Amino acid sequence: MITIDGEVVKEPKAILRDGMELVYHRLRWREPDAPYLLQVLYEDDDMIAVNKPAGLQVLPGGLFQQRTVLMQLQWRASKGSPSLETHGSHPVPVHRLGRGTSGILLCAKTKVAKTSLAAFFAEGTSLIGDSSNTNMEQSKRRKISKIYRALVNGILKQDKIIIKQPIGTARYPGVAKGLYVASASGKPALSKVEVLERDSQLNQTLVQVEIESGRPHQIRIHLSFIGHPLLGDPLYDVGGQPMCFDSEHEDESFAEDGGYERPAKPVPGDCGYYLHAHQLVLSHPTTNEVIKITASLPPILRTQAETEELM
C-alpha cells in the first residue's frame, strides 16, 4: 500500500531522501450507516443545541470519521445553512453523548462560548469532590443542569435514590486506555434518580436521572451499579462492571463507544439502549440569562400520562 518512486516498499527502515515521492494507496473507506437528521432545539449567536439521534457519534473516532455530529455541523455551516450560519464559524460540541444516547447536545459557536460552557461542565463535576459543600449549596453554584430519561431492568423499590459511586477505569480487551467502570478508587460522581413509572408486568422501571457530574457512561454505570442496568445495554451488567468479554466484539469501537449496537429491526422511537438527554438548564455564556432546553421524548420513554396527553 506504500510506494517510493513507484516501487512497493518492502523494507520498513527505508531511508527517505530529498526528491523522493512517497505514496500511500489507502483502501477505500466505507463507514457503517448512521442516522443523520439533527433537529435544532435552540440557537443564538453563541451556541446551538441539537437533538442527537441514537446511533450517531458526536466526534470522529473508530469506524466513524465523516458520519458524526461534528462533521454534520461543520458541513452545514460551510454550506450557509440558515439555521447554522454564524459569520463563518463552525459549531463544536462542548460535551459528549454516547453514540447510543439520544437527546440534547450543546455546541458552541464562538471561542468565548466554548471556553465558558466547557468551564460550566467542568465546574459541576469538580464540585462533587468538594466535601465541604452540601448538595444544596452545590446545586446553587452550578451553572448547568442535565436531566435524562432512562428505562431500566427490574423494579426500583425506592422512589428516589442518590448514587455516589466513584467511576474509574479497568483493563478491557480492545480499549487501550481502559473501560470506565464502577471503582472504589475512581473519581467522585453523583446521580439523582427518581422513579416515574413502574411496569411490573414487563419488569422494568422508567426513571428520571439528574447528573451532578459528567463522568463517561455515568448514568449507565450508576444504574447498573444499583442492580438496574439500562434495558438493552450490551456492555454494563449489575454492579457497574462490563459483561463477560465476547470475541465477537473484539474491535475497539464496540467498547469505546459504549458497546452500542443498533437493533437489527429498530422499533418506532428506538433510542439505542433507552437513554435520552431530555432537559438542559444553563446560564447563558455571555448574558447569564437562564436558558431551558427540552428535547421531545421517544415514545418508549414517556409515562402513560404523557402518552395520553399527546393522543
Side-chain angles (χ1 to χ4, degrees):
M1 297 170 68
I2 299 176
T3 63
I4 296 179
D5 292 338
E7 297 291 329
V8 175
V9 178
K10 297 181 180 179
E11 173 52 59
K13 296 183 179 180
I15 303 298
L16 293 176
R17 296 184 176 82
D18 286 346
M20 286 183 170
E21 182 184 60
L22 183 145
V23 178
Y24 169 39
H25 301 271
R26 184 174 67 85
L27 295 176
R28 183 178 179 181
W29 179 261
R30 179 175 176 80
E31 296 185 18
D33 291 335
Y36 59 89
L37 295 178
L38 290 176
Q39 176 193 10
V40 176
L41 300 172
Y42 175 89
E43 182 180 18
D44 58 28
D45 291 339
D46 298 289
M47 60 185 187
I48 178 173
V50 298
N51 190 2
K52 184 190 85 69
L56 180 63
Q57 191 159 298
V58 175
L59 301 177
L63 298 176
F64 296 91
Q65 299 298 317
Q66 298 294 323
R67 297 179 180 183
T68 65
V69 173
L70 178 63
M71 295 303 292
Q72 280 200 48
L73 290 174
Q74 293 184 353
W75 178 80
R76 292 177 68 180
S78 67
K79 293 294 183 181
S81 171
S83 64
L84 294 174
E85 187 175 11
T86 171
H87 309 298
S89 64
H90 285 174
V92 293
V94 291
H95 65 117
R96 298 280 289 273
L97 289 181
R99 184 159 67 94
T101 305
S102 59
I104 303 170
L105 180 70
L106 188 62
C107 306
K109 287 184 172 182
T110 66
K111 290 183 178 179
V112 172
K114 180 182 177 182
T115 300
S116 296
L117 293 172
F120 291 172
F121 280 104
E123 182 183 36
T125 299
S126 65
L127 287 174
I128 302 305
D130 187 356
S131 58
S132 63
N133 294 284
T134 64
N135 287 338
M136 186 172 292
E137 289 174 335
Q138 289 177 2
S139 296
K140 288 180 180 179
R141 290 172 56 187
R142 288 166 57 223
K143 292 187 177 181
I144 197 158
S145 175
K146 295 173 286 183
I147 296 176
Y148 291 71
R149 281 286 180 95
L151 190 62
V152 303
N153 282 296
I155 304 298
L156 270 75
K157 295 181 179 179
Q158 296 173 266
D159 291 335
K160 295 183 179 181
I161 182 171
I162 294 178
I163 308 172
K164 298 181 180 180
Q165 171 61 37
I167 293 175
T169 57
R171 293 184 63 182
Y172 193 83
V175 186
K177 297 180 180 180
L179 182 69
Y180 288 96
V181 298
S183 170
S185 60
K187 295 181 179 180
L190 190 151
S191 301
K192 297 178 179 178
V193 181
E194 180 179 350
V195 171
L196 299 178
E197 205 165 73
R198 298 178 177 90
D199 190 330
S200 56
Q201 186 174 356
L202 295 177
N203 191 36
Q204 59 192 35
T205 306
L206 181 64
V207 298
Q208 172 177 292
V209 185
E210 181 177 2
I211 56 175
E212 300 276 335
S213 52
R215 305 299 178 194
H217 306 316
Q218 177 175 321
I219 293 176
R220 298 170 65 192
I221 293 171
H222 272 181
L223 289 173
S224 62
F225 175 75
I226 63 172
H228 298 278
L230 289 178
L231 192 67
D233 194 329
L235 186 59
Y236 290 103
D237 205 352
V238 173
Q241 300 299 315
M243 296 181 185
C244 294
F245 176 64
D246 186 345
S247 59
E248 179 183 346
H249 300 125
E250 194 167 355
D251 62 289
E252 181 177 350
S253 63
F254 173 75
E256 283 286 4
D257 66 23
Y260 173 76
E261 290 183 299
R262 196 70 178 173
K265 296 181 179 179
V267 297
D270 169 63
C271 58
Y273 35 65
Y274 307 112
L275 179 61
H276 181 74
H278 180 41
Q279 289 185 343
L280 187 67
V281 180
L282 72 152
S283 296
H284 193 279
T286 58
T287 68
N288 288 323
E289 176 188 1
V290 176
I291 306 293
K292 182 178 180 180
I293 305 169
T294 302
S296 58
L297 292 164
I300 198 168
L301 294 180
R302 296 174 188 156
T303 64
Q304 185 64 33
E306 289 168 336
T307 299
E308 293 174 353
E309 190 176 315
L310 293 172
M311 295 177 66

